[in-house]
Amino acid sequence: MTGQTKYFSPYAAVHSVVLILSLFNCCSIISAENVPFLLQGDDYAKQSAVAYDKAVDAYLRAKVPGVDNQEVILKLGELYYSHGDYEKCITELQSVYVSTAVNTRVAKLLGLAYYRFNDDTNALKIFESILPAYTDDEVLYCQAQVCERQNLYPQAKELYEKVCVYKLESKYKSLAIQKLENINALAKNATIEGLPEEIRKLVKSTPGTEKYPNAGAIIVFRRESVEVKPDSSTIVEQHNLIKILNDRGKGYGEIELDYDSTDEKVELVFARTIKPTGEVITVGKKHIRDVSRYMNFPLYSNARVMIVSMPEIVDGCYIEYKARWVVNGLIDDKHIIDRVMVQEYEPVIGKKFILKVPQSFAVKYKPYDPGYVKINLDFKPVVRENKDNKVYEWVFSNIPEIISEPSMPPYSQVTAYLQMSTFNSWDEIYRWWWPLAKDKIGADEAIKKQVAVLIKGKVLLKDKAEAVYHWVASKIRYVGVEYGTAGYEPHSAAEIFANKYGDCKDKAILLISMLKEAGVTAYPVLIGTRGVLVVDKQFPSLYFNHAITAVKIDDKLLYLDPTAETCSYNDLPYGDQGRYVLVMTTSNVLVEMTPVLPSENNLVKLDMDLAIDKNGKIMATRTLTTSGAYDQGQRGWLKYTKPVLVKESLKNRVNNITPGGELLDYKISDFEDLTKHVKIYTKFSGPKFLIDAGNDNIVPALGGISAGSVSRETRVYPMDLGMPNKSVSEIVLHLPEGMSAKFVPVPVTENNKWFKYINKYSLIDNITLKFEEISEDFERTVMTGEYSGYKKMYESLARETDKQVVLQRK
């Protein structure tokens, strides 16, 4: 229907009039009397578009090769300019401007086109080329606008003043008068005395390093407000005042305001630097960049960031800024989630969060406080209500900074925080999310052909799943976009396959589609990786930063992360392990926990054989075999390191074992094959291995424990031991003829809740020395109350394992 009735004639049939009235029945200004004029306007609009196209065509045909077409080009440029086609106008005029800059008509129009096209650099260049000889009020005003956008207020003021004394009255004169008033008002705020009274008082009263000797900056206040409108739009405002103490705090001078351009708009209300002298420097356009987060990946161009580089940051200054986001729409048009992280890595004097929602919204909130730092926190909000809205307000004051400790847990596990959500159940999240994804799952002809190649000759579902997973993990480029950053809805599997790149949710959808084609059941999984807020099974919310895949084989779920290009089937990146996840099946949602893989999964096996000749020189072989997380690391290093640098690294390792050693040969297994462990074999020689000690020789330490990780006397936070892992070393040392062992350390063993350790030297037939070391970590954490005992035990082991073998001549 729309194609047939795109344009109407005033003499159209009665049914067309009825149709128009039905289309506009929601607008009170449309009546039967209006319809003829509306139709006539449509008719003229159509004629105008046709006439514009004809005019462009005529001017283009008017160009004659080999003659001066400047006048024709100028007229065509004027036509483009009048219709807002500034880029086409620039293209035309630039061709003659280069050769005839003296033509002020061309220069003026070109400068104005650059100005309208927001190309300030070229606009300023053109304007300056024709001024002051050419004094046109429009040019003067537009040049002043450019200067103002570039934060060149003195130049802008001078140009506006010229417009104001222009002999003729014009719209530019009245606009310039208003602009001058604004600049003069801004000039009054060029010192601290022009700022609001509250800010002046805080700037004058906030303490410094005398009270916060470890701080790089002081968060004087953070204020955030979220207002949900009845139409499901949201207004978010953030207002921050931060005192910079030293170089460590100057990073706050780079402000990043993230937004999704699909349904969000961000505005910098104001930003200023307040110098210790009291001078105020206001942020201008030249300090602001608005860029794509993922410039090289057009699929995610909606993920953007406004970057504000605060000017003139020095020790003792303050930065103050206020930003506003307008968000069109809520999650599923009716849900919100939010959080407030209370403690930061710098001291916070004041923090306020305000949430305003319609009465129909049932907001749930829940506080979490690990209690490592004693803070007087009141998580109960002040609530105000009227017939239309509910307002929740939380205020926190005098929050001490987090002082980092070695091997401490992630930020989200050590700070108090508050979660808010309007979701009542995980099923509610599923009913919103699953429709976003289910239609994106499917195989086109290209995908079907690729799957057929991958599973050819394979019978077991496990083998098919492994082949498909390894292909997607290694052949589809991963774009590191956190889940939700570029939207919650994935792209179609066909689109990702064609582009050969995708973010986490897209790679998961492609993997599921290919597995389905291979006859394997698989589901998308939402996961918050290590460092993200831990999922509370009793508090449905949407704090997931990643998406992976669950494969169902023999009624068991196996988790696969297709973004981990070096991770084998049956393995899982450390950050994905031990996390509550949402498994989105075709009929419901499952809240499950991913496994924590045992220590044997993450194995480093070292085998080394050294033969010492009578002159003390050595000939040796060394083989390093890895699995699990160590495999992932080795593959990543080998894949992205130039071969010559890999060889150089192996040479360095040889030199560490025997200074002056020579790498004779090396072999590296096919690290691209994710079904096999990585093996690195080296053969080397060295001029010397043993350490002289008078008439004796000492064998360098072949293993042992360092107590550096337990150097702190006490801990505020638990000690994070990382992933369960195991390392096994077997080193065989063939002694030269005429040399025997004078001293061999006794075996050292330890087996406790955290780890198992064995350090053992053996002498075989008095001619071969064998060293065995096994270190296996079981647990991931040492709690603060356990640290003292752990420290004592670890230091004792370090002392016991520092003994070395002493050799003597027979």
Side-chain angles (χ1 to χ4, degrees):
M1 180 199 68
T2 55
Q4 298 171 347
T5 58
K6 185 175 181 180
Y7 302 108
F8 292 92
S9 164
Y11 309 103
V14 173
H15 74 272
S16 295
V17 176
V18 173
L19 175 61
I20 287 290
L21 287 171
S22 67
L23 288 173
F24 291 97
N25 61 4
C26 62
C27 186
S28 61
I29 64 170
I30 298 297
S31 64
E33 291 80 7
N34 297 127
V35 172
F37 300 107
L38 179 67
L39 300 178
Q40 191 176 43
D42 287 343
D43 219 23
Y44 287 147
K46 178 182 179 182
Q47 294 175 35
S48 173
V50 172
Y52 174 62
D53 291 338
K54 288 182 177 179
V56 170
D57 183 63
Y59 282 134
L60 290 173
R61 286 187 287 109
K63 293 182 180 181
V64 178
V67 301
D68 184 2
N69 291 302
Q70 181 175 316
E71 191 63 28
V72 176
I73 290 173
L74 179 59
K75 287 183 177 293
L76 179 57
E78 289 173 340
L79 180 65
Y80 282 140
Y81 184 86
S82 65
H83 282 76
D85 285 341
Y86 304 122
E87 191 170 11
K88 291 180 181 177
C89 175
I90 291 168
T91 301
E92 287 294 330
L93 297 181
Q94 191 65 52
S95 65
V96 293
Y97 174 77
V98 174
S99 60
T100 176
V102 295
N103 188 324
T104 52
R105 289 174 61 204
V106 172
K108 173 187 174 181
L109 189 59
L110 182 58
L112 291 174
Y114 275 126
Y115 165 72
R116 302 291 180 194
F117 196 59
N118 288 318
D119 186 341
D120 288 347
T121 301
N122 279 310
L124 204 57
K125 177 182 175 182
I126 301 297
F127 288 149
E128 289 175 347
S129 73
I130 57 176
L131 291 174
Y134 189 69
T135 53
D136 179 292
D137 61 337
E138 182 181 12
V139 171
L140 289 169
Y141 178 80
C142 292
Q143 185 181 1
Q145 283 278 83
V146 172
C147 289
E148 189 174 350
R149 290 198 303 225
Q150 294 293 325
N151 210 29
L152 303 172
Y153 287 104
Q155 295 92 319
K157 183 178 178 181
E158 182 180 350
L159 290 163
Y160 286 136
E161 287 172 344
K162 288 182 179 180
V163 177
C164 289
V165 299
Y166 202 71
K167 58 185 177 181
L168 299 176
E169 292 293 330
S170 70
K171 67 174 183 178
Y172 297 107
K173 185 172 182 177
S174 59
L175 289 172
I177 291 172
Q178 295 175 11
K179 289 289 184 180
L180 273 176
E181 291 175 354
N182 292 337
I183 289 178
N184 289 331
L186 183 62
K188 293 178 182 177
N189 289 338
T191 68
I192 192 173
E193 299 308 319
L195 299 181
E197 182 181 1
E198 180 198 19
I199 303 301
R200 294 201 310 271
K201 288 182 176 179
L202 288 171
V203 168
K204 293 177 180 179
S205 63
T206 299
T209 53
E210 69 280 0
K211 184 172 182 180
Y212 302 105
N214 295 306
I218 301 169
I219 314 301
V220 183
F221 66 67
R222 288 200 190 280
R223 297 169 184 170
E224 182 173 351
S225 65
V226 177
E227 180 179 2
V228 180
K229 302 286 189 178
D231 63 356
S232 293
S233 65
T234 306
I235 307 295
V236 180
E237 287 193 347
Q238 289 183 359
H239 186 187
N240 296 303
L241 179 65
I242 302 169
K243 183 175 183 178
I244 308 300
L245 299 179
N246 49 54
D247 287 344
R248 295 195 307 278
K250 290 179 181 177
Y252 285 98
E254 289 294 304
I255 301 165
E256 296 188 0
L257 308 175
D258 293 287
Y259 69 103
D260 183 340
S261 61
T262 306
D263 53 16
E264 295 180 7
K265 181 174 65 175
V266 66
E267 172 194 2
L268 183 67
V269 180
F270 68 82
R272 53 196 172 215
T273 301
I274 307 169
K275 297 174 69 174
T277 60
E279 183 184 2
V280 177
I281 310 298
T282 303
V283 163
K285 185 179 178 183
K286 69 178 182 180
H287 302 114
I288 303 172
R289 305 182 303 283
D290 195 312
V291 298
S292 170
R293 267 287 186 198
Y294 310 99
M295 208 165 296
N296 296 326
F297 301 95
L299 279 182
Y300 311 103
S301 59
N302 58 313
R304 300 191 64 82
V305 57
M306 178 185 287
I307 303 172
V308 184
S309 297
M310 299 298 293
E312 302 195 38
I313 299 296
V314 296
D315 293 358
C317 75
Y318 291 77
I319 61 172
E320 184 192 5
Y321 64 94
K322 187 174 186 179
R324 179 183 296 118
W325 288 259
V326 178
V327 185
N328 297 318
L330 302 172
I331 300 172
D332 201 20
D333 293 327
K334 57 181 178 290
H335 287 294
I336 61 170
I337 58 168
D338 218 321
R339 63 182 175 185
V340 179
M341 309 301 289
V342 176
Q343 200 177 10
E344 302 189 29
Y345 285 96
E346 301 293 355
V348 180
I349 295 177
K351 183 173 286 194
K352 179 188 291 187
F353 183 85
I354 298 174
L355 176 63
K356 182 178 181 180
V357 296
Q359 276 288 355
S360 58
F361 277 61
V363 177
K364 296 176 289 299
Y365 57 88
K366 189 172 182 179
Y368 302 83
D369 186 359
Y372 300 124
V373 177
K374 302 304 178 184
I375 313 173
N376 185 21
L377 297 175
D378 184 0
F379 284 102
K380 186 176 181 181
V382 174
V383 182
R384 300 184 296 274
E385 295 188 56
N386 57 39
K387 66 175 184 177
D388 298 319
N389 300 299
K390 288 181 286 189
V391 179
Y392 303 82
E393 181 177 303
W394 287 270
V395 177
F396 306 101
S397 302
N398 299 316
I399 306 159
E401 68 208 282
I402 295 174
I403 303 295
S404 297
E405 295 179 348
S407 303
M408 68 184 288
Y411 170 69
S412 61
Q413 293 177 216
V414 300
T415 183
Y417 62 92
L418 179 74
Q419 277 206 86
M420 289 151 276
S421 175
T422 55
F423 284 106
N424 294 305
S425 68
W426 295 110
D427 286 335
E428 203 168 26
I429 293 176
Y430 173 81
R431 290 194 297 272
W432 158 71
W433 191 87
W434 180 240
L436 299 178
K438 65 178 182 179
D439 294 335
K440 310 301 188 302
I441 299 171
D444 63 2
E445 285 304 314
I447 291 176
K448 290 179 180 180
K449 288 180 181 178
Q450 183 63 58
V451 172
V453 171
L454 293 172
I455 66 173
K456 184 178 180 180
K458 294 178 172 58
V459 178
L460 298 178
L461 291 180
K462 180 261 181 189
D463 294 337
K464 293 179 179 180
E466 184 174 14
V468 172
Y469 162 73
H470 284 166
W471 188 88
V472 174
S474 61
K475 301 302 181 184
I476 303 296
R477 282 183 300 158
Y478 171 50
V479 186
V481 182
E482 283 196 356
Y483 178 74
T485 300
Y488 294 103
E489 184 173 358
H491 295 87
S492 69
E495 190 173 10
I496 300 306
F497 184 86
N499 282 298
K500 295 297 184 290
Y501 71 80
D503 69 358
C504 57
K505 61 184 183 294
D506 291 335
K507 290 196 71 171
I509 289 297
L510 176 59
L511 176 58
I512 292 163
S513 300
M514 295 180 72
L515 289 171
K516 182 179 179 182
E517 179 64 22
V520 180
T521 300
Y523 309 117
V525 176
L526 302 186
I527 179 173
T529 57
R530 178 174 166 78
V532 175
L533 298 183
V534 176
V535 170
D536 182 344
K537 293 183 71 172
Q538 308 306 316
F539 193 84
S541 190
L542 204 57
Y543 282 112
F544 302 98
N545 69 329
H546 195 39
I548 59 175
T549 303
V551 175
K552 189 174 184 180
I553 297 179
D554 297 331
D555 289 327
K556 294 181 180 179
L557 289 180
L558 174 69
Y559 296 96
L560 303 174
D561 188 340
T563 69
E565 63 177 336
T566 61
C567 183
S568 299
Y569 185 84
N570 267 331
D571 199 1
L572 201 58
Y574 173 55
D576 293 353
Q577 297 181 30
R579 310 294 296 180
Y580 278 113
V581 298
L582 298 190
V583 182
M584 302 293 194
T585 76
T586 54
S587 58
N588 64 351
V589 61
L590 305 175
V591 183
E592 302 285 341
M593 178 174 278
T594 58
V596 176
L597 299 178
S599 54
E600 291 85 357
N601 187 79
N602 304 304
L603 176 66
V604 177
K605 178 71 166 63
L606 171 66
D607 294 286
M608 191 157 62
D609 189 282
L610 301 97
I612 307 175
D613 68 13
K614 62 181 180 179
N615 298 315
K617 296 181 179 180
I618 65 166
M619 183 68 69
T621 61
R622 182 177 186 268
T623 303
L624 189 71
T625 307
T626 54
S627 66
Y630 296 115
D631 244 1
Q632 297 169 37
Q634 288 284 71
R635 287 196 186 101
W637 173 59
L638 292 167
K639 185 171 185 176
Y640 291 106
T641 303
K642 293 180 179 181
V644 66
L645 297 180
V646 170
K647 184 177 181 179
E648 192 65 33
S649 178
L650 298 179
K651 286 182 177 179
N652 291 341
R653 184 59 190 159
V654 168
N655 210 45
N656 286 335
I657 297 171
T658 173
E662 180 183 359
L663 178 64
L664 302 175
D665 190 19
Y666 71 96
K667 296 175 184 177
I668 300 173
S669 64
D670 182 6
F671 57 86
E672 297 277 10
D673 186 348
L674 298 181
T675 65
K676 297 178 181 178
H677 299 308
V678 178
K679 284 189 176 184
I680 301 178
Y681 165 85
T682 55
K683 181 179 181 180
F684 59 94
S685 64
K688 191 175 183 181
F689 180 69
L690 302 177
I691 302 169
D692 293 332
N695 294 323
D696 298 328
N697 294 106
I698 297 176
V699 177
L702 301 178
I705 285 179
S706 169
S709 61
V710 292
S711 60
R712 296 180 67 91
E713 290 301 317
T714 60
R715 293 184 66 95
V716 174
Y717 304 105
M719 186 175 181
D720 191 329
L721 300 178
M723 61 188 176
N725 65 90
K726 185 175 183 179
S727 66
V728 176
S729 297
E730 290 188 6
I731 302 175
V732 176
L733 184 64
H734 303 283
L735 303 181
E737 186 177 350
M739 185 170 283
S740 62
K742 181 178 181 180
F743 171 77
V744 177
V746 298
V748 177
T749 61
E750 177 64 41
N751 196 350
N752 54 62
K753 63 175 288 188
W754 296 290
F755 65 86
K756 174 183 177 181
Y757 181 77
I758 297 173
N759 182 302
K760 182 181 178 181
Y761 288 90
S762 304
L763 193 60
I764 303 171
D765 297 331
N766 214 33
I767 58 172
T768 301
L769 182 68
K770 183 178 181 181
F771 172 73
E772 299 171 274
E773 184 177 54
I774 299 174
S775 179
E776 187 171 8
D777 292 331
F778 307 122
E779 295 293 327
R780 305 171 89 183
T781 307
V782 178
M783 301 307 294
T784 52
E786 302 171 320
Y787 175 70
S788 177
Y790 181 86
K791 171 183 170 68
K792 183 177 180 180
M793 173 197 61
Y794 217 78
E795 289 174 338
S796 175
L797 271 180
R799 287 190 294 270
E800 291 182 50
T801 58
D802 69 353
K803 299 177 177 64
Q804 295 168 259
V805 173
V806 179
L807 303 178
Q808 64 181 358
R809 295 287 174 183
K810 293 181 181 178

